[in-house]
Amino acid sequence: MNVKELDKLLQSWGKFWASRESLQGYASTSVTERCCQVMRTGIWASSDKHLFSHQADQVYVPEWVKDIDRCVEQLPTPQRLVINRRYIKAVRLTNTERIALWHAQAQILSVY
């Protein structure tokens, strides 16, 4: 795999996670905790109903995405952040961040 192929793969990976963040969101409260809150308060808000189908542990993650996740998790924190900014958040990088991105890509290529 070369750098261009890795870049395309990371773009697909970033779009996958960006779509999960923007379209579904993640519930910070577990289903059990939310049910207990409803039973304690007796209040069932219609805005809460979406939480039951959007738990973070219920997100289907394809195997190829998991493979990239494992590679990215091995990177130092600054490189993980720049990968996140570039591919998931789609932020324009500064020159310093671009250098960090190149280092991150080189490390991913060495383990992928």
Side-chain angles (χ1 to χ4, degrees):
M1 175 178 292
N2 62 33
V3 176
K4 285 186 179 185
E5 292 169 340
L6 176 64
D7 186 59
K8 287 183 182 183
L9 186 63
L10 287 171
Q11 286 178 12
S12 297
W13 170 83
K15 287 178 184 176
F16 173 83
W17 285 119
S19 70
R20 295 305 180 269
E21 287 179 357
S22 65
L23 296 177
Q24 295 178 354
Y26 303 118
S28 60
T29 307
S30 71
V31 172
T32 305
E33 176 60 24
R34 189 65 196 122
C35 288
C36 290
Q37 287 176 358
V38 169
M39 291 167 64
R40 278 194 303 265
T41 62
I43 299 170
W44 181 274
S46 63
S47 64
D48 293 341
K49 292 180 182 176
H50 75 283
L51 297 176
F52 293 100
S53 63
H54 295 107
Q55 296 296 315
D57 58 349
Q58 294 177 347
V59 173
Y60 168 74
V61 180
E63 198 60 38
W64 67 272
V65 172
K66 289 179 185 178
D67 291 341
I68 296 173
D69 286 345
R70 280 186 223 106
C71 291
V72 171
E73 286 171 3
Q74 294 176 11
L75 297 172
T77 302
Q79 291 179 355
R80 277 195 310 240
L81 292 174
V82 78
I83 290 282
N84 182 300
R85 285 177 49 82
R86 167 65 176 92
Y87 295 106
I88 297 175
K89 305 296 183 192
V91 174
R92 189 178 180 107
L93 301 179
T94 65
N95 289 336
T96 306
E97 289 173 324
R98 285 187 191 147
I99 293 168
L101 177 64
W102 295 335
H103 286 277
Q105 289 172 334
Q107 283 191 285
I108 291 172
L109 281 173
S110 70
V111 295
Y112 190 69

